[in-house]
Amino acid sequence: MADIKTSEFSKASTLSIKDPQLQRALGRVGAGFDTSRQEAIAEVTPEVWETWREEARSIKAHTLDHLDYYLEMVYDNVTKAGGQVHFANTADQANEIVAQLVRTRNVKMAVKSKSMVSEELSLNPVLESLGVEVFETDLGEYIIQLADETPSHLVAPALHKSKEDVAQLFSEKLGLPYTEDIEEMARAARVLLRDKFFQADLGISGANFVVAETGTLVIITNEGNGRLCTSAPRMHIGITGMEKMIPSMQDLAVFLRVLPRSATGQRITSYVSMVTGPRRSDDEDGPEEFHLILVDNGRSRMLADPDLREALNCIRCGACLNICPVYQKVGGHAYGWVYPGPIGAIVSPMLVGLKQSKDLPFASSLCGACRDACPVKINIPKMLLNLREKLSESPDPEVKASPDLDNLLARGYVRLMSNPELLSIAHRLGRNLQKPLAFLPFSPFSKGPKLPLPLISQWTKSRDLPKFPARTFHEIWKKELSKSPGGKSPEIPVSDASDKP
Ligand code: SF4
C-alpha cells in the first residue's frame, strides 16, 4: 500500500501551517470549491436538494445492507457482458491480479484515469517494477506523478500546487519552454498524453459507481481521459472498492445530480462514461478484454462495524474537505495517506488500523459543517466521536489514545465540576492566586505577549487566560438568598420543558 504516515499527523500538520505557499493554495482553491457547491445547490430549492440527499443516502444504505446480493449481481452481469470479475481481499492480492494480467498479456505501457483505489494499492510502483511504463492521464494526477507526490485532495489531486510550481515542473521534467499560462500548460500535457492512449496496451480506471443490474462501470470526468483509457487500449482493468455498487440505472440518476454539484459545483460533469464489458463484435472500438477488480482491503471490517459502516456511503465528492476548517489549514498531505479530510479521518483508521492513526479522529473541531455539506448525509462528527471513544476505551495500551495524564486531568475535572464545595474552594484559590500574576509583565491574564506557563504555555501563548470573577455565581446566589423574604429562594422564571430542543 501507499506509504502510510497517518501516525505523523500532528508533526505534519504543524509543518503545513507554517508553509506559506501551501496556505495560499489552500485559501485560494478550497474556498472556491465550496462557493461553487453552494451556488449550484442554490439553483434548486432546499426541499429538492434535501430530497436528493435523502434518496442518495437511502440507496447507498440499502446497497450496503444487501452488499452480498449486489456483488453477486455485478459478478453475473459483468460475466454475461463478456468481462471477468476478480475479488481481492487485500491490496497485495489486487496488485497480484493486475501483475498476473500484465505478465500474461505482455503489457508494456499503461494509461490510467484517476483512481483513488489504485493510489490506495500503490499500483504504479508495482506496474513499474514489472517494466510497464505508466501514464496518469487526469491532469492533476499527471502533475503529481511528475512531481513524485501523492494526491492532496479527493477531487483535485494537485490542489497544493501553484501554477508556478507546475510551470517549473513541466519545464524540468518535460523539457517544455517555461510558461505560467495555464491553458498553454494544459494544451501541452494534452498533446503529450494523446499519443499514449493509442500506444498503451492497457487502460486502468477506477469507477464512481458500478451498476449491479447491468454490470456497468460509471466513470465521471471533466477531461474525457476516462473514456479514452477505457476504450483505446486493447485491455481495460477497472479497479474499485466493493462499496461502489448501486442497484440500478434509475438509482444512478440521483448520484449524477448530487455528485458534480457537491464536488465542483457543476450541474453535470463534461463526461459521464459507462462501460459494460469489452468490445462486442459489432462495436467500432473498445478493448478486447475487460477485467473488474473489486477490492475489500479492510472494507468488510468497516461494514461489520454498525457505528462506522456509514462511511462506506461516501461518493468521494470532496465537499467535506472543502468546508473543513482543519483541512483548510493543514491540507491533504498532513493526513498521511490517500484519503484526507474529515472522511479520511474515519476511513484511514478503519483501513490501516487505529494504532497507526491515533491522531486522525482528533483532527476535527466537530463543528458539523462536513455533515451538513455531505450529499449522502454521512454523520462524520458522530463517527469521529465514536473513534475517539474506541481509542480511549481500548484495552490495548498501544491503541489507547489518552495518556494517563490526560485521563487523570479529565477525571479531576469531572470531580471538580460535580462537587459544589470543591468548585467553590477552587474558585477562591484561583481568585487569590491570580492577584500576584495580574501585576506581572507578560501576565497570562492580560492582552499582549505572555509568559510561557508550564503545561499550558501552548494555550496561553496566543490566548488570554480568562480572569476569575470577583464573585462566583454561588456567592451571588447565597447573598441573594439571604436577602429574599423568609430566606426563601428568589423567584426565577422556569421555562416550560416543552420549549426545550
Ligand atoms: S463524506 Fe460526504 S462530503 Fe465527504 S467526500 Fe464523502 S460523500 Fe463527499
Side-chain angles (χ1 to χ4, degrees):
M1 285 203 284
D3 249 7
I4 300 168
K5 295 184 183 154
T6 43
S7 60
E8 295 171 22
F9 177 79
S10 290
K11 203 167 66 185
S13 54
T14 308
L15 291 176
S16 298
I17 289 167
K18 290 180 182 161
D19 180 342
Q21 193 239 302
L22 176 66
Q23 292 305 314
R24 271 196 300 278
L26 289 169
R28 201 174 45 236
V29 194
F33 271 135
D34 193 57
T35 309
S36 308
R37 178 186 72 86
Q38 292 191 32
E39 285 169 0
I41 292 171
E43 287 180 358
V44 295
T45 64
E47 292 75 26
V48 168
W49 180 247
E50 281 312 305
T51 309
W52 287 351
R53 283 178 85 205
E54 182 50 34
E55 203 181 319
R57 187 207 62 77
S58 71
I59 292 168
K60 289 296 280 187
H62 163 86
T63 317
L64 286 180
D65 285 347
H66 304 91
L67 195 57
D68 50 345
Y69 172 78
Y70 287 113
L71 283 170
E72 247 178 68
M73 195 186 275
V74 166
Y75 181 89
D76 289 346
N77 289 324
V78 170
T79 311
K80 257 188 236 159
Q84 277 188 52
V85 181
H86 311 257
F87 292 99
N89 285 333
T90 62
D92 285 346
Q93 276 182 17
N95 285 335
E96 188 43 42
I97 293 165
V98 178
Q100 193 64 20
L101 290 168
V102 160
R103 280 191 216 104
T104 49
R105 272 65 170 184
N106 196 25
V107 170
K108 296 289 174 221
M109 188 191 284
V111 282
K112 281 180 72 205
S113 87
K114 189 169 170 300
S115 155
M116 294 306 286
V117 174
S118 78
E119 297 282 349
E120 178 186 323
L121 307 175
S122 273
L123 182 62
N124 286 9
V126 173
L127 290 169
E128 281 156 8
S129 72
L130 294 165
V132 178
E133 220 184 335
V134 186
F135 291 91
E136 293 288 349
T137 60
D138 170 271
L139 184 56
E141 288 281 347
Y142 185 51
I143 290 168
I144 60 163
Q145 185 187 25
L146 288 176
D148 199 17
E149 291 178 5
T150 50
S152 66
H153 190 279
L154 294 174
V155 174
L159 178 136
H160 57 288
K161 293 261 178 235
S162 65
K163 67 175 179 193
E164 292 82 8
D165 291 336
V166 179
Q168 193 65 34
L169 198 65
F170 277 19
S171 156
E172 277 172 23
K173 297 276 170 113
L174 304 176
L176 296 171
Y178 184 92
T179 174
E180 289 174 12
D181 184 318
I182 294 174
E183 269 185 36
E184 217 172 292
M185 289 191 274
R187 201 174 305 120
R190 191 178 170 174
V191 170
L192 248 153
L193 289 172
R194 184 91 191 161
D195 284 344
K196 309 298 176 201
F197 290 114
F198 300 103
Q199 291 163 5
D201 318 282
L202 168 64
I204 297 176
S205 74
N208 294 92
F209 305 99
V210 181
V211 181
E213 71 173 358
T214 52
T216 303
L217 252 70
V218 182
I219 302 161
I220 296 175
T221 70
N222 273 318
E223 298 173 22
N225 60 315
R227 188 164 295 174
L228 280 166
C229 276
T230 56
S231 55
R234 60 183 157 90
M235 177 163 67
H236 171 204
I237 302 180
I239 306 178
T240 192
M242 64 182 203
E243 78 282 14
K244 292 290 176 72
M245 312 301 122
I246 53 170
S248 67
M249 280 292 172
Q250 197 177 342
D251 293 324
L252 178 63
V254 73
F255 292 103
L256 293 183
R257 291 187 178 115
V258 296
L259 176 54
R261 281 178 171 86
S262 303
T264 48
Q266 292 169 282
R267 286 184 203 149
I268 193 155
T269 45
S270 308
Y271 297 85
V272 177
S273 306
M274 300 194 192
V275 179
T276 311
R279 164 192 204 157
R280 280 165 285 268
S281 54
D282 53 347
D283 283 346
E284 278 183 20
D285 50 27
E288 293 153 22
E289 272 187 75
F290 169 68
H291 297 266
L292 174 62
I293 305 178
L294 295 170
V295 180
D296 183 327
N297 203 29
R299 287 162 174 79
S300 298
R301 231 178 10 247
M302 286 173 82
L303 191 66
D305 189 324
D307 298 315
L308 297 165
R309 66 185 301 174
E310 198 189 343
L312 290 171
N313 287 356
C314 177
I315 54 172
R316 308 275 189 259
C317 71
C320 57
L321 279 62
N322 302 332
I323 203 155
C324 174
V326 177
Y327 178 89
Q328 279 171 10
K329 289 314 285 178
V330 305
H333 287 155
Y335 290 82
W337 199 44
V338 184
Y339 301 109
I343 190 65
I346 298 164
V347 171
S348 297
M350 290 307 289
L351 296 189
V352 308
L354 267 175
K355 193 164 135 186
Q356 257 184 291
S357 323
K358 283 156 74 165
D359 285 344
L360 291 185
F362 296 91
S364 167
S365 65
L366 301 178
C367 67
C370 49
R371 180 193 49 217
D372 298 343
C374 179
V376 282
K377 299 174 89 169
I378 298 176
N379 195 339
I380 295 173
K382 188 171 157 215
M383 282 188 281
L384 288 171
L385 278 173
N386 186 276
L387 281 172
R388 290 182 191 184
E389 191 184 332
K390 281 190 191 334
L391 281 162
S392 63
E393 300 298 316
S394 171
D396 181 349
E398 289 195 51
V399 172
K400 203 169 175 63
S402 309
D404 289 344
L405 178 65
D406 285 8
N407 276 336
L408 209 67
L409 286 173
R411 273 203 292 273
Y413 180 76
V414 170
R415 190 79 180 271
L416 184 70
M417 297 308 285
S418 51
N419 184 327
E421 276 77 38
L422 215 57
L423 188 62
S424 171
I425 293 169
H427 270 134
R428 283 202 296 276
L429 212 62
R431 201 158 54 207
N432 290 326
L433 281 175
Q434 81 181 352
K435 280 180 191 156
L437 284 175
F439 294 106
L440 284 175
F442 311 120
S443 160
F445 297 102
S446 64
K447 301 213 177 300
K450 308 287 183 300
L451 271 183
L453 287 182
L455 291 179
I456 56 169
S457 60
Q458 288 300 315
W459 178 260
T460 56
K461 117 175 140 183
S462 56
R463 294 173 182 85
D464 304 321
L465 213 56
K467 282 184 188 159
F468 284 90
R471 287 195 308 159
T472 65
F473 175 76
H474 278 123
E475 287 161 348
I476 298 169
W477 179 259
K478 262 190 200 161
K479 198 160 175 201
E480 294 302 321
L481 187 66
S482 65
K483 272 192 205 163
S484 67
K488 285 195 183 137
S489 302
E491 284 275 312
I492 44 169
V494 178
S495 63
D496 187 332
S498 62
D499 288 347
K500 290 183 180 147

